Structures are given as C-alpha cells and as structure tokens.
Amino acid sequence: MATQILHTKCHLPLARPNGVTRPRLGERLQQGLLTGRKLTLISAPAGYGKTTVAAEWVRQAALPIAWLSLDEQDNEFSRFLAYLLLALQKAADGAGAQLRTALDAPHLPPIEEIAAGLCHDLAQMGQEMTGGTNGRFLLALDDYHKIRQPLSHELLNLLLEHLPPACHLLLISREDPPLPLPRLRVRGEMTEVRAQDLRFTVEEATRFFNQAMQLDLPPDWVAALEGRTEGWIASLQLAALSLQGRSAAQTEAFIRAFGGSHRYVFDYLAEEVLGQQSVEIREFLRATAVLDRFNAPLCQSLTGRPNSQAILQRLEQANLFLIPLDDARDWFRYHHLFADYLRAGLDRSEVAALYQKAALWHEANELIFEAVRYALASGDTDFAAAVIERALLNDTTWSGGHVALLTSWLDGLPLQTLQSRPQLSLQASRILYLAKRYDLAERYIDQTEQSVKTVPETAVTGQLLALAALYRGAIAAVRGDVAQAVEQTTFAQAHLAPDNRLPHARAFYSLGLAYELSGATERSVQNYLQSADTAQAAGVFFLEVHARCAAAQMQLAQGQLTLAEQTCRQAEQVAEREGLALLGLPRVILGGIALERNELSAAEELMQDGIALARQGSVSDNVVWGLSFLTRLRTSQNNLSGAFAAIQEATAIVQTYGMPRLSTLAAAHLARLQLRLGQKQAAAEWAMAYQAAPTPSPDAFVALTLARVFLAHGDLAQAKSLILSVQQKATTDGRQRTHIETLILLALIAQAEGERGTAVAILSQALQLAAPERFLRLFLDEGAPLAALLPSVRLAAPSFVDELLAALQGELGGTAVIPAPPDALSEQETNVLRLLCAGLSNREIGDELFISPGTAKWHVHNILQKLGASNRAQAIVRARELELVE
C-alpha cells in the first residue's frame, strides 16, 4: 500500500469526467514549447485549476512527461532527489543513472555535481523518449510552493542554466519560486500562466455548470456567478455543489446572495489559506481588507507596520489572492471573494476606524474621489461632510464633470448636516444645478444666504454671497430669465476674488447662455470662449470642453461652419487629452456640422460615437443634443421611424428637467417630424396648443416650425408673416443659418403665390449666403418643391447649385428636375385646383362651387395625392410646373 501511495506522486493526474476543456490555455502552453523555451511556470493561488490545466495540455498534446507531485515532506533534500529519480524512471525504464549514483553514495556529492549528472540523465532521456528527433519531453513538478529547501531551488537554478534542448521544465505553484524569473522573462525563455489567465470565461463557466455539473443555468445566472467569483474555479465548484438539488427559485436566491460570506467559501478559505499564515500576516490582511486598492504607504497608514512593503512582497510571492494593478507592482487589490471573507471578520467600529484612516490618507495624497468614498463608507456623516467640503473646494474635483458621482455624495449626507455648513450647502447647489435639479439647488442657495446673514460680515461671507449670486444667475440663465441672469452674474463678477478662476469661468458661461437667449450672438460667443480660456487656466477641463462646444454651437448658428468645426476640434482634443472622452459632445456637434454639409456617412459615425460616449458618461444634456441631430439625420436618410424614435427619447429626457423652454423646443422637433410623416393634424394640434399657452417670444426654430404648420395647411399669409418676423430678428442677431432657412421658405411661398421672379431673387440670395460654408442640407430638406426652382437660380452659385441638384436627383429618385405626370384630374378637381391656387379655404371653395366644405376638402385631398404633394403649397408649385393652372 505504501509503495502504491508513493507511486501516485509520479502519475499524471487523471482527467475529470465531464471536465471542461480549455483549448485557449493549451494552445498558449504548446506555443511556448514549440518556440524552444526552457520553462513553463503556472503560478496562481489555491483553487485556480493549475494542475488540471497542465494535465489537460499534456494529454491533449500527447507529450512524453516525467511528473512529480510534491508535498511538505519533500523538503528533505535527499527525499526530493529520490522522488525525482522515481519520476524519471516512471517515464523511461532505466532513466536517471547519474542521479541514482549520487543517491547511492555515502554522502551526497556537491550540488553542482548532482546538477551536471541530472542534466546528463535528461539528455539521455530526451534521445530515448523523442526517438532522436527534435521533439521535447517535460519534467513537471507540481505544488512546487511546498518546497522551502534552498538546495532544491539551487538545483533547479543550475538545471535551467544547462537544460538539455530536448527537456522542458514545467513548474506548477501557488507562489513564484525563488528562481531567476526576470532573467528568463527578458530572454524569452519562459512561458507564464497566471491567475488572470486561469480565470474561467463566461463561456467556460457555462460549460462547467451546464455540462460538467448538469445544472442547466440560464446565461445571466452564469454570468453573475462568473463575475462575482472573477472566474475562480474553486468558488465556482463550491457554488455548483451548493446548487445541487435546489429549485429554480432557490438557485436564483443563492446567486443573488453569493459572496465571500457564503459558508462554503468561508470554510475553504479558512482551511486552505488563512489557517497557514502567521499572526502578523492575518492581522495585516484584516486591517487592509477594507481597501479597494492599496500600496505599501497606504497599508502602513492603516496597520502601523513600517514593513508593509516587505509584507506585500511576501503576499504576492505567496499568491495570497493578491492581484497587482500595475506593471511596477506598486498597487494591488485582493481577490473580491477573499476581501469579502476578511471584512466579514471585522466589527463595525473596526471598519469605521479603518475607513476613516483610508479617507485621510487618500486626501493627503490628493486622491480626492477615493477619500470621499472611504469617508462616506465610514458611516460618520460629520466626518464625511468635512471631507466632502474640502474636496469641493478643490478645483480639480470639478474638472472631470462627474455630476452623477458628486450628486451621490450629497445623497449620502442628511439635510441637517448641510444646514450647519454654508460652504458645503453652496457647493451642493452647484452640483444640483449641473444635475438639472434647479428647484432644490435654489433651496440650498436660500439656505446658504440665510445662514450667512446670521453672522458678522467678513471677507469669507462676502465671497459666499457672491457665489450665491453667481449660482442664482446660472439657474436664471437656463430658465431663460435673461435680465436676472445678467444682473446676478455681473454682481458676482464684481465681488468675486480675481484669482478665483473657476467661479469666474462659470460666470462667463452663464453670461454666454444669457446673451445667447437674448439674441446677442457675438457677445454670447465671446463669453463662452472666455469661459473656456478661464476654465483652462483653472484646470477645470470639463467646463472648458462644454464652453468651447457652446461657442461652436453659436458659430454654427452664425453660419460659420469652418470656425465652428475648428472650435469643436479644440474641445475634442482637450477631452481626449484629459480623459474626458465620455463627454461625447464635441463629436455630436461635429456630426451636426457634417450633416449641414450633407456628409451623411461622416455625420452618422460622429453622432453615433458621440451619443454612445455621452450615454456611457451619463451626460444627459449631450445625449439630448446628439438625439436632436440624429433626428434630422434619420429624416434626411428617409428613416422616419428611426427619426421618430430619436426625438421621442430626447423628449422623454428633456421632460425630466422641468424646463418649459426645453420641452417646447423638443415638442417643435417632434412637430417637424410629424409634418414629414404626413401627420399634419398632429402637427396642427401642437401648433394650437403652443399658441394657446402663455409663452414668451418663441425660439427661431419653434417659430419656423409653426410657420411650416401654417404652410402645410395652406395658410400662406400667416406663414409668411411669421417667417418675416423671424428673419428680421435673425438678421439683427447675426444668426445666418436661420436667415438662410427663412429665405428658402419665403422663396417657396413666392413660388406658390405665382411670383416666380420674386422666388428666384430670394432663393438666389439664400444660395449666395449658404455656398461659402456649404449649407447643403438646409436646401435638400425641402425636397421636390425646391428642386423645381434650382435650375432657374444656377448663376447665383453654379457649383453649389449643381451639387444640390445632383444630391436631390439621388434622394428623389430622378424626380428632382423632371416631375412625373400626374393622374388626370376630373373637371371638378380642376375647378377646385384653380380656386386652391387662388388661396381660397375649403369653405370658400365650397361656397364658390356650391358644394359642402367636406366635399371641397375631399377634392383637395385627391388633388394632393394625384400631384404627389404633401400640402397645399407643394400642390400649387406642382400645378404651376405642370401648367395645370395659369
């Protein structure tokens, strides 16, 4: 029996029935063998399936091998050599003659002589086992971490220096052996497989649970277990054993609760890992278990141990569930389940004290976000409030625009804590402003002012009141209250300390928005750019990017596409350089600029990238901008269902802001799309509701949408009046893009009224304004009605008109220039058409022809269908083109 047990040490482990094969690892190991490397090291903590992977590789590749599984007793050097000899002899009869001679001597020879003899034996084995070819055989030592004997390490070191070409050494260990691994790594003589390589993928975990363990778990349950355990096969196995015989409901409950506190994982960790550690190591592990990541100085801060660096090195060498986070191996974390287990052994007071120490260390080392996270985790709200208050006074806290994170800080504090801290309350109002929670932001401003007024006036209280005015002005600006925005913001600018750059950058931004809403376009651009430059000087790059993007939006409105693109590229460079790519806004606006130039493929890519980044960064404003641009792009692509989905999502987001101005703008976008879809009644209902509501003077986009509804219903006079008023303001404000759009619409109205000469003159003016910057899409969006006019205005901008005609020809399927003949009109329809072109309403047509208004409406409907027109204005243009009326 004893001999049989001893010989099992030299047997390749048997394959597990229904085991999960892992060819990706086998291929990696085989590649190292084929490239002539000396050593394969499989090093990972307990429970990662090291031996299983190695044995599977050997079996799959059918490699000749000498295998030895080691244990603690093999630390006696002569015993180690004896089992090594046994392994060689199991692999090849009569092998290991030189090693046998050394063992038979009265005293072991010097280590160098033993190593030389062993190399000779291995060379001989190589000849015999590979048949004299260029093949390789393996010498495998499993559980090598159990060997502490320096002579054994020295023997392997010498062996690696002089290893015969036919032999390849395979070491399987829970920790790195004391061998010259860096030298082997640099020379390319070693293949390494680590814990991160051995972790089960979701696919492998699925095969394990559903094939090997026959549990038939749904994919999301498998993914949850794989993610929670980080692919650690030991815990997956323990979980699978626990799931045997459970119902589906019990299984789901187990998966939700599964973690390091699970009793099976507890038992395994206690038995396999912690029970073998010294008191010093166990105390170190417990004290540092609260940390998400750590280095030696941080560990020293929590444990008080000046030898923390040495302890970390020991832990890493021992593979004690320590995961390096950088190439320099300065930062580490514990395997999540292991950390869970360690934390479960701490009481609440211990945890709180450790979290506070961690917070103070991170704060002292300018790791602000980590400091706040640990402070909140401590459960001491006064301590957390103090740390948050200091964090918000640091400009770099605001640089990344982490609005959701900053908001979560406030949500972690009770209201009374903020009431006693006016500085924190004021900073909270700014966070809530960024989060679009304007009413609550104003409450915090009120709270700050009330608190400040109860104490004597000082320089500090003066600065607090100036900031309160600044933040009031910002809220007024987004609400469209231009007068209050300018008043409050200019007061703040006059009283803020000149060297306090961030508030001044915010002030310029608020003024930029206020001037934008008041129509002072150029002043708006100037203030946005000044905000960007000041934010850059303050190091607050989130604000810099948004300010430059706001300036680019205004430059686009001014008709300066090239300048807008340059400004946007600057913002994009800052975002990418500072790791703010998730903002997405620069790419969204660049997509909008590409759309204006009818570069649809580029627009698609830019918008999709920008929206995706904005979604990832949870920046809802940027998502809304992207969706509004995407709505127009989808409409241009004739993907009307896609356009509808985009504007519906944008509207849903905007409605959560509680901002009537923005909600009205979103509704106008939807109404334009409804017109394109032929849903004239739905658009008319929007128009009636909008006109009935008490609102200030409409945004140009809203006003022109209203005019388009009038046009769709044949009310040319009211549409023209509204367009002229928008045009006058656009000219005054310097909004050339809007001016071009008004000219296009007025040209179409003149055409519908039979004033072709006027239509040509107006459209020529629009083309001359649009051509230098290539505002193609404004014209293309009008479709067939505009196409009929373009040949007559070619001389206004020849190449630009040719480009428009070519694009329209493609979009309208050849109908851009040569309209198809309509179905024949009946005599009555011809009479109705004549009166329709004269501008009569359905009731007036009915009175003229002695028919009911309903019958007149029906004739008008048929006429529009036969002429291929979507509204009265288009029908009039089409009828004149076909000379159906004089």
Side-chain angles (χ1 to χ4, degrees):
M1 178 67 70
T3 302
Q4 291 176 349
I5 293 174
L6 294 179
H7 277 272
T8 60
K9 291 166 61 72
C10 302
H11 276 286
L12 183 70
L14 298 174
R16 297 182 179 182
N18 300 320
V20 176
T21 59
R22 309 180 73 187
R24 63 181 177 90
L25 295 174
E27 291 170 3
R28 180 170 178 176
L29 296 171
Q30 186 69 8
Q31 183 63 26
L33 187 68
L34 295 176
T35 53
R37 295 176 179 176
K38 293 182 176 182
L39 172 66
T40 290
L41 175 63
I42 303 179
S43 179
Y48 272 92
K50 301 180 294 295
T51 301
T52 302
V53 166
E56 179 190 332
W57 166 47
V58 171
R59 281 190 295 269
Q60 292 293 325
L63 297 170
I65 187 169
W67 180 283
L68 175 59
S69 295
L70 299 164
D71 56 39
E72 297 291 343
Q73 297 180 59
D74 296 330
N75 275 290
E76 200 275 309
F77 188 53
S78 60
R79 178 185 172 93
F80 173 83
L81 293 177
Y83 279 117
L84 183 57
L85 175 61
L86 181 61
L88 298 180
Q89 291 176 335
K90 285 282 291 182
D93 291 339
Q98 297 281 344
L99 183 54
R100 172 171 287 282
T101 299
L103 284 169
D104 287 344
H107 302 285
L108 284 176
I111 191 70
E112 293 83 359
E113 189 174 326
I114 296 173
L118 181 56
C119 285
H120 182 270
D121 289 338
L122 295 175
Q124 289 291 109
M125 289 181 65
Q127 289 290 324
E128 296 172 10
M129 297 178 72
T130 63
T133 67
N134 291 325
R136 311 281 296 280
F137 82 97
L138 301 183
L139 172 58
L141 302 178
D142 191 17
D143 287 336
Y144 190 75
H145 57 275
K146 295 181 179 179
I147 300 301
R148 306 295 180 190
Q149 169 58 254
L151 285 174
S152 298
H153 300 321
E154 188 176 352
L155 175 63
L156 255 64
N157 193 3
L158 291 169
L159 186 61
L160 283 169
E161 281 292 317
H162 307 286
L163 195 66
C167 183
H168 182 86
L169 184 61
L170 169 62
L171 295 183
I172 304 165
S173 178
R174 291 187 183 180
E175 59 188 68
D176 286 356
L179 300 174
L181 302 183
R183 186 175 68 206
L184 293 166
R185 191 177 294 122
V186 169
R187 292 178 178 177
E189 296 178 340
M190 174 174 64
T191 298
E192 296 177 83
V193 174
R194 301 284 179 175
Q196 61 266 27
D197 308 307
L198 292 164
R199 292 170 185 157
F200 267 43
T201 64
V202 173
E203 179 185 357
E204 290 168 341
T206 299
R207 284 190 278 123
F208 168 72
F209 281 115
N210 295 342
Q211 294 178 18
M213 303 302 293
Q214 299 182 344
L215 290 172
D216 195 26
L217 301 182
D220 54 337
W221 292 6
V222 175
L225 283 170
E226 191 277 339
R228 191 72 180 93
T229 62
E230 297 185 290
W232 183 31
I233 183 56
S235 56
L236 291 175
Q237 289 171 328
L238 292 167
L241 290 171
S242 179
L243 291 174
Q244 296 285 354
R246 291 177 184 260
S247 67
Q250 291 171 330
T251 298
E252 186 175 11
F254 172 87
I255 290 170
R256 283 199 304 267
F258 184 70
S261 60
H262 197 282
R263 65 185 181 89
Y264 290 108
V265 179
F266 259 54
D267 293 343
Y268 184 86
L269 292 172
E271 179 180 352
E272 293 293 325
V273 182
L274 288 185
Q276 303 177 32
Q277 306 305 316
S278 66
V279 172
E280 179 188 37
I281 294 296
R282 288 201 297 270
E283 290 179 350
F284 182 92
L285 293 171
R286 290 179 75 253
T288 54
V290 300
L291 300 170
D292 293 326
R293 64 168 191 160
F294 45 83
N295 62 7
L298 174 54
C299 291
Q300 182 174 338
S301 175
L302 267 67
T303 65
R305 296 184 181 276
N307 63 337
S308 292
Q309 183 66 53
I311 293 177
L312 286 175
Q313 290 173 348
R314 286 161 56 189
L315 292 177
E316 184 184 16
Q317 187 180 38
N319 269 324
L320 202 58
F321 297 95
L322 192 68
I323 300 171
L325 300 178
D326 56 11
D327 291 338
R329 281 175 157 70
D330 289 330
W331 285 91
F332 302 86
R333 71 169 174 86
Y334 294 121
H335 187 288
H336 293 316
L337 286 175
F338 186 59
D340 286 349
Y341 168 68
L342 293 171
R343 284 193 293 268
L346 299 170
D347 62 39
R348 184 174 299 178
S349 62
E350 287 179 302
V351 171
L354 290 169
Y355 276 137
Q356 289 187 15
K357 287 181 180 180
L360 294 174
W361 184 91
H362 282 90
E363 184 180 18
N365 287 272
E366 299 185 357
L367 297 167
I368 303 299
F369 296 99
E370 290 83 354
V372 172
R373 181 159 47 84
Y374 286 117
L376 288 168
S378 74
D380 187 328
T381 54
D382 287 332
F383 174 78
V387 173
I388 292 172
E389 185 170 9
R390 293 193 294 270
L392 293 175
L393 291 175
N394 190 328
D395 286 354
T396 58
T397 302
W398 302 90
S399 180
H402 309 283
V403 178
L405 178 60
L406 299 181
T407 305
S408 72
W409 292 359
L410 302 181
D411 293 339
L413 297 175
L415 186 60
Q416 58 269 26
T417 303
L418 293 171
Q419 288 174 340
S420 61
R421 295 177 177 272
Q423 180 73 260
L424 180 56
S425 183
L426 194 58
Q427 297 288 19
S429 76
R430 182 64 186 183
I431 295 171
L432 293 166
Y433 160 84
L434 295 173
K436 305 293 183 294
R437 294 159 66 176
Y438 301 115
D439 291 342
L440 186 56
E442 281 190 313
R443 283 177 53 193
Y444 278 117
I445 294 173
D446 293 340
Q447 182 176 287
T448 300
E449 289 176 332
Q450 293 168 6
S451 177
V452 169
K453 289 174 182 177
T454 62
V455 298
E457 185 176 344
T458 65
V460 172
T461 60
Q463 289 299 293
L464 288 175
L465 291 174
L467 286 171
L470 173 64
Y471 297 158
R472 280 196 191 282
I475 295 172
V478 297
R479 285 179 170 162
D481 188 342
V482 175
Q484 187 182 19
V486 173
E487 177 187 349
Q488 293 284 339
T489 307
T490 52
F491 172 85
Q493 284 182 313
H495 292 84
L496 286 167
D499 59 346
N500 198 355
R501 289 172 173 164
L502 177 55
H504 281 287
R506 290 170 174 167
F508 285 125
Y509 190 94
S510 293
L511 288 175
L513 179 55
Y515 289 131
E516 175 185 339
L517 295 176
S518 66
T521 307
E522 187 55 37
R523 292 187 71 181
S524 173
V525 172
Q526 292 170 359
N527 276 276
Y528 280 139
L529 292 177
Q530 199 159 358
S531 172
D533 292 342
T534 309
Q536 181 186 54
V540 183
F541 303 108
F542 176 85
L543 179 54
E544 180 190 355
V545 169
H546 272 79
R548 294 200 191 284
C549 286
Q553 293 270 52
M554 293 309 300
Q555 289 163 340
L556 191 158
Q558 289 176 311
Q560 300 175 344
L561 287 184
T562 303
L563 187 58
E565 183 178 12
Q566 292 171 357
T567 303
C568 219
R569 292 292 182 193
Q570 284 182 282
E572 185 180 41
Q573 289 171 6
V574 173
E576 291 178 350
R577 185 188 71 224
E578 301 300 331
L580 304 179
L582 292 183
L583 294 180
L585 185 56
R587 296 188 70 78
V588 161
I589 300 173
L590 287 169
I593 294 169
L595 177 59
E596 295 289 359
R597 293 169 171 160
N598 200 39
E599 298 165 354
L600 301 188
S601 296
E604 174 86 27
E605 181 179 351
L606 287 163
M607 288 181 199
Q608 294 286 20
D609 285 353
I611 293 170
L613 290 169
R615 290 191 200 280
Q616 293 174 37
S618 300
V619 188
S620 59
D621 276 6
N622 300 355
V623 175
V624 170
W625 274 115
L627 291 170
S628 64
F629 281 127
L630 187 63
T631 300
R632 189 166 168 231
L633 173 64
R634 290 285 178 261
T635 306
S636 302
Q637 297 167 328
N638 207 31
N639 179 1
L640 301 183
S641 61
F644 190 76
I647 195 58
Q648 286 283 71
E649 183 182 354
T651 302
I653 296 173
V654 166
Q655 286 174 346
T656 65
Y657 294 170
M659 298 288 293
R661 178 177 63 86
L662 297 179
S663 295
T664 299
L665 192 58
H669 275 280
L670 180 57
R672 281 208 186 188
L673 181 58
Q674 288 167 336
L675 288 176
R676 181 65 179 262
L677 290 165
Q679 299 172 357
K680 293 190 292 183
Q681 186 57 38
E685 290 173 2
W686 165 80
M688 287 186 289
Y690 172 76
Q691 290 176 294
T695 57
S697 58
D699 174 272
F701 182 88
V702 177
L704 291 181
T705 303
L706 190 59
R708 289 176 181 277
V709 176
F710 292 148
L711 285 175
H713 289 79
D715 193 344
L716 304 186
Q718 193 165 355
K720 184 175 180 179
S721 174
L722 185 53
I723 293 167
L724 285 171
S725 67
V726 172
Q727 184 185 66
Q728 182 179 3
K729 190 172 190 322
T731 304
T732 303
D733 294 349
R735 291 177 174 266
Q736 186 156 289
R737 184 190 180 282
T738 300
H739 186 195
I740 295 170
E741 185 178 355
T742 62
L743 289 170
I744 295 171
L745 292 175
L746 289 171
L748 292 175
I749 291 174
Q751 171 80 339
E753 292 174 333
E755 300 290 338
R756 189 171 181 83
T758 302
V760 168
I762 295 173
L763 188 58
S764 295
Q765 185 184 354
L767 289 165
Q768 289 166 354
L769 291 175
E773 294 284 348
R774 296 181 64 248
F775 271 97
L776 288 158
R777 200 67 238 173
L778 278 174
F779 297 85
L780 297 175
D781 285 346
E782 302 304 329
L786 187 72
L789 271 176
L790 283 174
S792 302
V793 292
R794 185 178 181 278
L795 293 178
S799 61
F800 188 63
V801 171
D802 288 345
E803 190 174 2
L804 285 171
L805 285 170
L808 282 167
Q809 194 83 16
E811 291 189 7
L812 300 177
T815 64
V817 183
I818 308 173
D823 295 335
L825 300 180
S826 69
E827 181 180 353
Q828 185 73 311
E829 287 170 346
T830 302
N831 293 330
V832 171
L833 177 61
R834 175 176 51 81
L835 296 172
L836 184 153
C837 290
L840 273 64
S841 68
N842 290 340
R843 179 174 295 280
E844 291 169 333
I845 292 172
D847 291 343
E848 187 74 21
L849 298 177
F850 304 102
I851 59 177
S852 70
T855 302
K857 183 177 180 181
W858 173 251
H859 284 309
V860 170
H861 171 76
N862 288 339
I863 290 167
L864 264 60
Q865 280 196 324
K866 289 182 178 182
L867 294 180
S870 61
N871 55 51
R872 283 173 169 249
Q874 288 184 6
I876 293 169
V877 172
R878 191 90 165 93
R880 295 191 189 283
E881 289 171 356
L882 298 170
E883 299 180 351
L884 298 176
V885 292
E886 295 181 357

